[in-house]
Amino acid sequence: MVVAATVSLALRSRRREFALLRAVGATPAQVRRTVTFEVAAVSLVAAPLGAVAGLFGARLLDPLLVRSGMVAPDFTSALSPLPVLVAVALIAVTAVPVGRLGAREAARTAPTAALQQSAVEDRHVGIGRRITALAMTLGGLAMAFSTLWIPGTTGSAAASLSAFLLIGAAALAGPVLVGWIFDRLAKAHPSGGRPATMLAVRNVRGFSRRLTTVVVPLALVVSAATIQTSVGRAMTTAFQQEFVAAVSTDLVVAPTEDAPQDLTAQVAAVPGVEAAIPLATVPGEVRTVDDGAETWEAAAVRVVPADTAAFDPDVVSGSLAEIDDPDTVAVSSDTAFTSGAGLGETLTIRLGEDVVDATVVAVFSRGIGVGGIVTGAATAEAHGLPVTADTLLVDVAAGTDLADATAAITALGATAADPETHISTVLQAGGDNEVGNALLLLLLAVVAVGAASTLAMTTVARRDELALLHRTGTTRHQLMAMTTVEATITGVTAWVVGTVAVAPAVVGVSAGLLDGLPVVDLTAYGIVSAAVVAFAVAATFLAARRTTKVATAVA
């Protein structure tokens, strides 16, 4: 989107040049070839420079990968030419077609009409573009609420992508959408207001196409940042909700490094402890087949006693009573959907060195807080995997002081807390997703640089317009005030479009994961929203200061 907007704006500012070429005899095919060669040359020079810089800069993420536990401490990322080639190809296949489309529009326009459009832009959008925008809007809304028929994290992941479809629809219908917004603004603003404000409102009405190229990248910043942070917040909240709902005991106990081997027995012997139910986790892999290609995905298999009522994953079909039989599993709704293995069917998993065709005996709904696969100790032990308790669910007898029981368990070399406190501590120990945050910041930086380019190009291209206004009596101060008001309107419009585009995704993600109101990371949303408006004003002011000085210096 950023590359397409930049190329489109660069060609739009040269409409008068193309019109003059046509006027002196250049054919439409010659204009298209000229633009194609120019865009291709710029892409083939600029893209490798950025790609090579990014290739070496990627190693700056190595410490984040190590701290996140994704790689070994001695890991060093390998340098390959493949990302460079892919980046160059991506830029080329984006920029060149956009350039040809822009050149095609300019070449098909009569020279006199092109000169007229350089004064006031045409808001007309072709029928094909309108239909595509409508299709993307309907697709985005349908995807936002895909959680109604796709369960768990899979549906929420699909819902989160709806914001990008809606931003794409806004980009296609931009001239009409932005023009409509600015028309409403112009009608609401009295014609007798301050000259700078009045000129700004009239300008944004007449150049909706130009401003669309600025609004869309900034709106993309709002949408991308909001959905990324809000999905993380929703996942964390869902994990807490489902874990607390699944555990009905008084305490959750987790062994420390100093815990004894027979911790379960020692905790059960603590005065006042009524029951100590051990839970364990063993490593496994799940086989999936996609278009005939077989892959194995790592999965943590939760080992649970079948006869306990203290652990409730909310079974929706089948029964957990059968997981004590060898080679049987219970799966979450999400796992059943992605693997295609429902109740009574077979899920192929790898346990240790063995490939097991496990029978699904139950399907449950709390997969985020519980895990995707649950089995009994018999299945893990039958395939040589040791079952060592990593969590104990402890019930305390009535009349027992909970604080005393907690202190006694802690003295054994374990931590003990109620379910809510336990899961909050686990999440805090996990820390923030540094890699995800770093990649998000890089994405926002790329979009911000692109938006700065479009803002600067838009302002610089208006030198003749500013000079004409100056000749008719507008002062330099009024010109600067006018461009500042325009930038503020543009930034606020981008914020509104980005917010509207991301709202269905936030609602859809929360509906698929949570019980309750939608979750939004208000801090991140507020910071990004304010930054978008401030960025639009600052970038425009810096470009306008120089351009206005040159324009008002014309005799």
Side-chain angles (χ1 to χ4, degrees), residues 218 221-222 225 444 448 455 491 495 523-539:
L218 293 175
V221 172
V222 176
L444 298 183
L455 286 166
W495 166 66
T523 301
Y525 171 72
I527 292 174
V528 171
S529 299
V532 161
V533 178
F535 183 83
V537 173

Side-chain angles (χ1 to χ4, degrees), residues 68-90:
S68 299
M70 297 181 178
V71 296
D74 58 348
F75 171 80
T76 301
S77 54
L79 299 183
S80 166
L82 184 60
V84 176
L85 298 177
V86 171
V88 173
L90 179 62

Side-chain angles (χ1 to χ4, degrees), residues 226-246:
T226 303
I227 196 61
Q228 175 78 5
T229 55
S230 295
V231 166
R233 178 66 63 85
M235 288 290 292
T236 300
T237 305
F239 184 68
Q240 291 176 303
Q241 286 182 351
E242 293 191 3
F243 182 86
V244 172

Side-chain angles (χ1 to χ4, degrees), residues 213-304:
T213 60
V214 179
V215 167
V216 169
L218 293 175
L220 182 61
V221 172
V222 176
S223 293
T226 303
I227 196 61
Q228 175 78 5
T229 55
S230 295
V231 166
R233 178 66 63 85
M235 288 290 292
T236 300
T237 305
F239 184 68
Q240 291 176 303
Q241 286 182 351
E242 293 191 3
F243 182 86
V244 172
V247 175
S248 59
T249 56
D250 299 312
L251 297 173
V252 178
V253 176
T256 63
E257 294 181 357
D258 300 327
Q261 292 293 324
D262 59 342
L263 178 66
T264 302
Q266 292 192 30
V267 169
V270 170
V273 171
E274 195 170 65
I277 298 97
L279 305 181
T281 304
V282 296
E285 292 178 298
V286 178
R287 189 189 69 160
T288 58
V289 179
D290 188 9
D291 294 332
E294 180 182 279
T295 59
W296 291 87
E297 296 183 2
V301 180
R302 177 71 77 174
V303 181
V304 179

Side-chain angles (χ1 to χ4, degrees), residues 49-418:
L49 294 176
V52 171
L55 184 66
F56 290 97
R59 284 191 168 176
L60 298 176
L61 292 175
D62 288 355
L64 297 182
L65 295 173
V66 172
R67 286 199 298 271
S68 299
M70 297 181 178
V71 296
D74 58 348
F75 171 80
T76 301
S77 54
L79 299 183
S80 166
L82 184 60
V84 176
L85 298 177
V86 171
V88 173
L90 179 62
I91 296 299
V93 300
T94 302
V96 173
V98 170
R100 286 191 63 83
L101 286 174
R104 179 172 174 265
E105 179 185 358
R108 292 174 59 183
T109 305
T112 53
L115 291 173
Q116 181 182 8
Q117 289 176 6
S118 66
V120 177
E121 294 176 337
D122 182 11
R123 294 184 190 174
H124 176 71
V125 173
I127 185 64
R129 188 165 169 174
R130 289 174 181 265
I131 292 175
T132 305
L134 178 60
M136 293 184 72
T137 300
L138 296 176
L141 293 175
M143 186 174 285
F145 298 101
S146 60
T147 52
L148 297 176
W149 60 86
I150 301 177
T153 56
T154 304
S156 297
S160 66
L161 296 176
S162 67
F164 299 96
L165 279 178
L166 294 177
I167 287 291
L172 290 172
V176 176
L177 177 64
V178 174
W180 181 86
I181 293 174
F182 291 155
D183 280 346
R184 305 284 82 74
L185 181 63
K187 291 179 180 179
H189 185 270
S191 58
R194 298 179 60 185
T197 304
M198 184 179 64
L199 285 172
V201 173
R202 298 303 184 269
N203 277 336
V204 296
R205 288 185 68 192
F207 292 93
S208 58
R209 283 183 178 270
R210 179 182 70 192
L211 292 173
T212 297
T213 60
V214 179
V215 167
V216 169
L218 293 175
L220 182 61
V221 172
V222 176
S223 293
T226 303
I227 196 61
Q228 175 78 5
T229 55
S230 295
V231 166
R233 178 66 63 85
M235 288 290 292
T236 300
T237 305
F239 184 68
Q240 291 176 303
Q241 286 182 351
E242 293 191 3
F243 182 86
V244 172
V247 175
S248 59
T249 56
D250 299 312
L251 297 173
V252 178
V253 176
T256 63
E257 294 181 357
D258 300 327
Q261 292 293 324
D262 59 342
L263 178 66
T264 302
Q266 292 192 30
V267 169
V270 170
V273 171
E274 195 170 65
I277 298 97
L279 305 181
T281 304
V282 296
E285 292 178 298
V286 178
R287 189 189 69 160
T288 58
V289 179
D290 188 9
D291 294 332
E294 180 182 279
T295 59
W296 291 87
E297 296 183 2
V301 180
R302 177 71 77 174
V303 181
V304 179
D307 57 349
T308 180
F311 185 77
D312 178 19
D314 190 24
V315 175
V316 294
S317 60
S319 172
L320 287 181
E322 299 179 47
I323 62 171
D324 271 347
D325 298 334
D327 297 345
T328 59
V329 295
V331 299
S332 67
S333 303
D334 202 0
T335 301
F337 179 84
T338 55
S339 66
L343 182 65
E345 297 178 326
T346 298
L347 179 69
T348 302
I349 58 177
R350 182 181 287 155
L351 296 175
E353 300 296 328
D354 299 338
V355 176
V356 182
D357 291 327
T359 302
V360 177
V361 297
V363 178
F364 55 87
S365 66
R366 292 171 179 156
I368 298 176
V370 169
I373 303 174
V374 171
T375 190
T379 299
E381 291 172 348
H383 299 283
L385 294 177
V387 179
T388 303
D390 56 24
T391 305
L392 300 177
L393 305 182
V394 176
D395 257 331
V396 177
T400 302
D401 190 300
L402 192 60
D404 291 341
T406 300
I409 294 172
T410 302
L412 296 175
T415 61
D418 60 85

